[in-house]
PDB file of all heavy atoms in Angstrom:
ATOM      1  N   SER B  93      65.261   9.151 110.267  1.00 97.00           N
ATOM      2  CA  SER B  93      63.982   9.300 110.965  1.00 97.00           C
ATOM      3  C   SER B  93      62.834   8.757 110.120  1.00 97.00           C
ATOM      4  O   SER B  93      61.891   8.141 110.647  1.00 97.00           O
ATOM      5  CB  SER B  93      63.737  10.772 111.290  1.00 97.00           C
ATOM      6  OG  SER B  93      63.711  11.534 110.115  1.00 97.00           O
ATOM      7  N   GLU B  94      62.883   8.969 108.836  1.00 97.00           N
ATOM      8  CA  GLU B  94      61.821   8.472 107.940  1.00 97.00           C
ATOM      9  C   GLU B  94      61.899   6.944 107.839  1.00 97.00           C
ATOM     10  O   GLU B  94      60.846   6.275 107.828  1.00 97.00           O
ATOM     11  CB  GLU B  94      61.952   9.118 106.552  1.00 97.00           C
ATOM     12  CG  GLU B  94      61.027   8.575 105.487  1.00 97.00           C
ATOM     13  CD  GLU B  94      59.534   8.703 105.830  1.00 97.00           C
ATOM     14  OE1 GLU B  94      59.182   9.494 106.717  1.00 97.00           O
ATOM     15  OE2 GLU B  94      58.739   7.961 105.203  1.00 97.00           O
ATOM     16  N   LEU B  95      63.106   6.413 107.788  1.00 97.00           N
ATOM     17  CA  LEU B  95      63.237   4.936 107.736  1.00 97.00           C
ATOM     18  C   LEU B  95      62.652   4.318 109.020  1.00 97.00           C
ATOM     19  O   LEU B  95      61.946   3.309 108.948  1.00 97.00           O
ATOM     20  CB  LEU B  95      64.716   4.527 107.580  1.00 97.00           C
ATOM     21  CG  LEU B  95      65.334   4.801 106.207  1.00 97.00           C
ATOM     22  CD1 LEU B  95      66.828   4.495 106.239  1.00 97.00           C
ATOM     23  CD2 LEU B  95      64.661   3.966 105.128  1.00 97.00           C
ATOM     24  N   ARG B  96      62.918   4.944 110.159  1.00 97.00           N
ATOM     25  CA  ARG B  96      62.358   4.444 111.421  1.00 97.00           C
ATOM     26  C   ARG B  96      60.839   4.484 111.387  1.00 97.00           C
ATOM     27  O   ARG B  96      60.165   3.585 111.850  1.00 97.00           O
ATOM     28  CB  ARG B  96      62.899   5.261 112.599  1.00 97.00           C
ATOM     29  CG  ARG B  96      64.290   4.845 113.063  1.00 97.00           C
ATOM     30  CD  ARG B  96      64.606   5.425 114.435  1.00 97.00           C
ATOM     31  NE  ARG B  96      64.606   6.874 114.457  1.00 97.00           N
ATOM     32  CZ  ARG B  96      65.646   7.638 114.095  1.00 97.00           C
ATOM     33  NH1 ARG B  96      66.769   7.075 113.703  1.00 97.00           N
ATOM     34  NH2 ARG B  96      65.563   8.943 114.141  1.00 97.00           N
ATOM     35  N   ARG B  97      60.292   5.586 110.831  1.00 97.00           N
ATOM     36  CA  ARG B  97      58.834   5.719 110.745  1.00 97.00           C
ATOM     37  C   ARG B  97      58.243   4.580 109.912  1.00 97.00           C
ATOM     38  O   ARG B  97      57.164   4.073 110.216  1.00 97.00           O
ATOM     39  CB  ARG B  97      58.481   7.070 110.118  1.00 97.00           C
ATOM     40  CG  ARG B  97      57.009   7.433 110.193  1.00 97.00           C
ATOM     41  CD  ARG B  97      56.739   8.793 109.545  1.00 97.00           C
ATOM     42  NE  ARG B  97      56.735   8.722 108.109  1.00 97.00           N
ATOM     43  CZ  ARG B  97      55.667   8.447 107.352  1.00 97.00           C
ATOM     44  NH1 ARG B  97      54.512   8.223 107.929  1.00 97.00           N
ATOM     45  NH2 ARG B  97      55.743   8.394 106.041  1.00 97.00           N
ATOM     46  N   ARG B  98      58.988   4.185 108.889  1.00 97.00           N
ATOM     47  CA  ARG B  98      58.507   3.088 108.019  1.00 97.00           C
ATOM     48  C   ARG B  98      58.785   1.711 108.652  1.00 97.00           C
ATOM     49  O   ARG B  98      58.426   0.695 108.078  1.00 97.00           O
ATOM     50  CB  ARG B  98      59.215   3.144 106.665  1.00 97.00           C
ATOM     51  CG  ARG B  98      58.926   4.385 105.866  1.00 97.00           C
ATOM     52  CD  ARG B  98      59.696   4.346 104.551  1.00 97.00           C
ATOM     53  NE  ARG B  98      59.743   5.658 103.900  1.00 97.00           N
ATOM     54  CZ  ARG B  98      60.449   5.935 102.810  1.00 97.00           C
ATOM     55  NH1 ARG B  98      61.166   4.964 102.225  1.00 97.00           N
ATOM     56  NH2 ARG B  98      60.461   7.131 102.282  1.00 97.00           N
ATOM     57  N   GLY B  99      59.474   1.694 109.769  1.00 96.00           N
ATOM     58  CA  GLY B  99      59.789   0.419 110.416  1.00 96.00           C
ATOM     59  C   GLY B  99      60.971  -0.279 109.825  1.00 96.00           C
ATOM     60  O   GLY B  99      61.139  -1.491 109.969  1.00 96.00           O
ATOM     61  N   LEU B 100      61.836   0.481 109.136  1.00 96.00           N
ATOM     62  CA  LEU B 100      63.032  -0.098 108.517  1.00 96.00           C
ATOM     63  C   LEU B 100      64.264   0.247 109.351  1.00 96.00           C
ATOM     64  O   LEU B 100      64.379   1.359 109.847  1.00 96.00           O
ATOM     65  CB  LEU B 100      63.207   0.428 107.092  1.00 96.00           C
ATOM     66  CG  LEU B 100      62.081   0.075 106.118  1.00 96.00           C
ATOM     67  CD1 LEU B 100      62.163   0.929 104.855  1.00 96.00           C
ATOM     68  CD2 LEU B 100      62.127  -1.403 105.765  1.00 96.00           C
ATOM     69  N   LYS B 101      65.183  -0.718 109.503  1.00 95.00           N
ATOM     70  CA  LYS B 101      66.380  -0.496 110.312  1.00 95.00           C
ATOM     71  C   LYS B 101      67.474   0.213 109.525  1.00 95.00           C
ATOM     72  O   LYS B 101      68.409   0.758 110.104  1.00 95.00           O
ATOM     73  CB  LYS B 101      66.911  -1.831 110.818  1.00 95.00           C
ATOM     74  CG  LYS B 101      65.935  -2.533 111.775  1.00 95.00           C
ATOM     75  CD  LYS B 101      66.407  -3.933 112.092  1.00 95.00           C
ATOM     76  CE  LYS B 101      65.382  -4.616 112.988  1.00 95.00           C
ATOM     77  NZ  LYS B 101      65.623  -6.055 113.114  1.00 95.00           N
ATOM     78  N   ALA B 102      67.358   0.200 108.214  1.00 96.00           N
ATOM     79  CA  ALA B 102      68.380   0.796 107.333  1.00 96.00           C
ATOM     80  C   ALA B 102      67.803   0.879 105.922  1.00 96.00           C
ATOM     81  O   ALA B 102      66.731   0.300 105.669  1.00 96.00           O
ATOM     82  CB  ALA B 102      69.640  -0.078 107.351  1.00 96.00           C
ATOM     83  N   PRO B 103      68.487   1.574 105.011  1.00 97.00           N
ATOM     84  CA  PRO B 103      68.049   1.519 103.614  1.00 97.00           C
ATOM     85  C   PRO B 103      67.952   0.044 103.181  1.00 97.00           C
ATOM     86  O   PRO B 103      68.773  -0.777 103.580  1.00 97.00           O
ATOM     87  CB  PRO B 103      69.169   2.236 102.856  1.00 97.00           C
ATOM     88  CG  PRO B 103      69.758   3.168 103.859  1.00 97.00           C
ATOM     89  CD  PRO B 103      69.674   2.443 105.180  1.00 97.00           C
ATOM     90  N   SER B 104      66.931  -0.257 102.411  1.00 97.00           N
ATOM     91  CA  SER B 104      66.644  -1.670 102.154  1.00 97.00           C
ATOM     92  C   SER B 104      66.253  -1.969 100.702  1.00 97.00           C
ATOM     93  O   SER B 104      65.629  -1.148 100.038  1.00 97.00           O
ATOM     94  CB  SER B 104      65.480  -2.134 103.035  1.00 97.00           C
ATOM     95  OG  SER B 104      65.786  -1.954 104.406  1.00 97.00           O
ATOM     96  N   VAL B 105      66.625  -3.155 100.254  1.00 97.00           N
ATOM     97  CA  VAL B 105      66.067  -3.759  99.041  1.00 97.00           C
ATOM     98  C   VAL B 105      64.885  -4.587  99.535  1.00 97.00           C
ATOM     99  O   VAL B 105      65.071  -5.486 100.358  1.00 97.00           O
ATOM    100  CB  VAL B 105      67.099  -4.667  98.354  1.00 97.00           C
ATOM    101  CG1 VAL B 105      66.471  -5.348  97.135  1.00 97.00           C
ATOM    102  CG2 VAL B 105      68.352  -3.908  97.964  1.00 97.00           C
ATOM    103  N   VAL B 106      63.692  -4.247  99.073  1.00 98.00           N
ATOM    104  CA  VAL B 106      62.505  -4.996  99.513  1.00 98.00           C
ATOM    105  C   VAL B 106      62.065  -5.907  98.368  1.00 98.00           C
ATOM    106  O   VAL B 106      61.732  -5.440  97.273  1.00 98.00           O
ATOM    107  CB  VAL B 106      61.364  -4.052  99.918  1.00 98.00           C
ATOM    108  CG1 VAL B 106      60.173  -4.870 100.398  1.00 98.00           C
ATOM    109  CG2 VAL B 106      61.838  -3.076 100.995  1.00 98.00           C
TER     110      VAL B 106
END
Side-chain angles (χ1 to χ4, degrees):
Chain B
S93 59
E94 173 59 18
L95 289 174
R96 279 195 299 276
R97 190 180 77 88
R98 297 179 195 173
L100 298 166
K101 295 172 183 168
S104 301
V105 177
V106 181

